[in-house]
Amino acid sequence: MGLARGIERRLERLVDGLAARLFRGRIHPVELGALLVREADLAIWETPGGWGVPNVYNVVMGGEPVDAEVLETVAQELAAFVEETTLERGWRLEGPARATVRVDSARRPSDVAISTGVEKGPQPVWARLRPVAGPEGSLEVAINRAVLGRGSSSDVQVANEDVSRTHAVLWREAGSAWVGDLESSNGTFLNGERVHGPTPVVEGDLLTLGRTEFVIGRP
């Protein structure tokens, strides 16, 4: 099963079991997922490391009320859907994806309203940069489209003078990890080869920022 189809199946499961009560006579979960992605597209913005999208999604659906347990189950699945979709598309989230679902009985069952927002917060570490030389410990990469650089605004700070303030970007997209150079002064290299465009990386690769070397590892 492809990555995109796997994400779609997550939403299709909502019509089975407990959560099916929310979608009886209302929009299909896959259609709701498409609306969430549309709202993300409408709110997309450019960050130093690439495209960013909201991480908070508030959904209001029409029709008869349902139990809070049902709404919470659907909200959790929608948040997971947002997380997985952003990784498929290579988008950046400023914090963990969060969704809320509310029913407004004054609306028709077919009515859906979605609002978005951004709330910064900690995210799970998905990669580590282990220095080849020096006493420093490994650097954690948590955010997708993480900017690596010497500047204080970088997501992963590398405190070496040969590293630019915003030097490179590391991200996940379509099931793979990638690195790109951000027009750094001294260049970004992968296994000794200069990085000119989006370049796939795997565990154990040697990443060099200027003259500073790291081995890419898992959390």
Side-chain angles (χ1 to χ4, degrees):
M1 181 184 297
L3 180 61
R5 178 57 180 159
I7 295 173
E8 186 177 273
R9 276 295 299 146
R10 172 179 287 280
L11 292 182
E12 288 177 341
R13 286 196 296 270
L14 290 177
V15 298
D16 302 325
L18 179 69
R21 295 171 56 190
L22 179 61
F23 295 98
R24 190 174 297 122
R26 296 180 172 95
I27 188 173
H28 191 278
V30 173
E31 294 179 78
L32 178 57
L35 290 177
L36 288 175
V37 172
R38 178 176 177 274
E39 290 299 321
D41 271 323
L42 290 174
I44 202 168
W45 71 91
E46 191 170 3
T47 76
W51 296 116
V53 296
N55 63 304
V56 178
Y57 294 80
N58 302 305
V59 179
V60 180
M61 305 178 72
E64 294 299 317
V66 297
D67 298 339
E69 184 180 2
V70 172
L71 298 179
E72 180 60 26
T73 297
V74 173
Q76 290 175 0
E77 289 297 318
L78 291 179
F81 167 77
V82 170
E83 292 272 7
E84 293 175 12
T85 301
T86 56
L87 291 184
E88 181 195 14
R89 299 195 174 201
W91 290 338
R92 174 186 172 104
L93 295 179
E94 297 297 330
R98 184 172 65 81
T100 63
V101 182
R102 183 170 63 87
V103 173
D104 181 357
S105 56
R107 294 174 176 266
R108 296 177 300 175
S110 58
D111 286 349
V112 178
I114 302 173
S115 60
T116 63
V118 177
E119 291 182 5
K120 292 189 176 183
Q123 300 183 60
V125 174
W126 64 270
R128 292 183 186 275
L129 303 180
R130 298 185 171 90
V132 173
E136 298 86 358
S138 61
L139 302 178
E140 296 180 341
V141 181
I143 200 166
N144 202 36
R145 290 204 168 271
V147 173
L148 319 178
R150 179 167 47 86
S152 59
S153 62
S154 293
D155 301 302
V156 180
Q157 282 190 268
V158 183
N160 290 355
E161 287 301 318
D162 57 303
V163 175
S164 296
R165 292 185 178 276
T166 55
H167 194 107
V169 57
L170 196 62
W171 77 98
R172 292 173 291 175
E173 182 175 352
S176 298
W178 304 79
V179 67
D181 184 72
L182 295 177
E183 299 183 354
S184 62
S185 298
N186 295 316
T188 299
F189 301 81
L190 188 68
N191 299 322
E193 298 291 330
R194 187 156 191 157
V195 172
H196 293 287
T199 303
V201 300
V202 296
E203 182 181 10
D205 277 349
L206 179 66
L207 177 65
T208 307
L209 309 179
R211 294 183 299 276
T212 306
E213 297 181 323
F214 300 94
V215 174
I216 297 176
R218 294 182 180 180

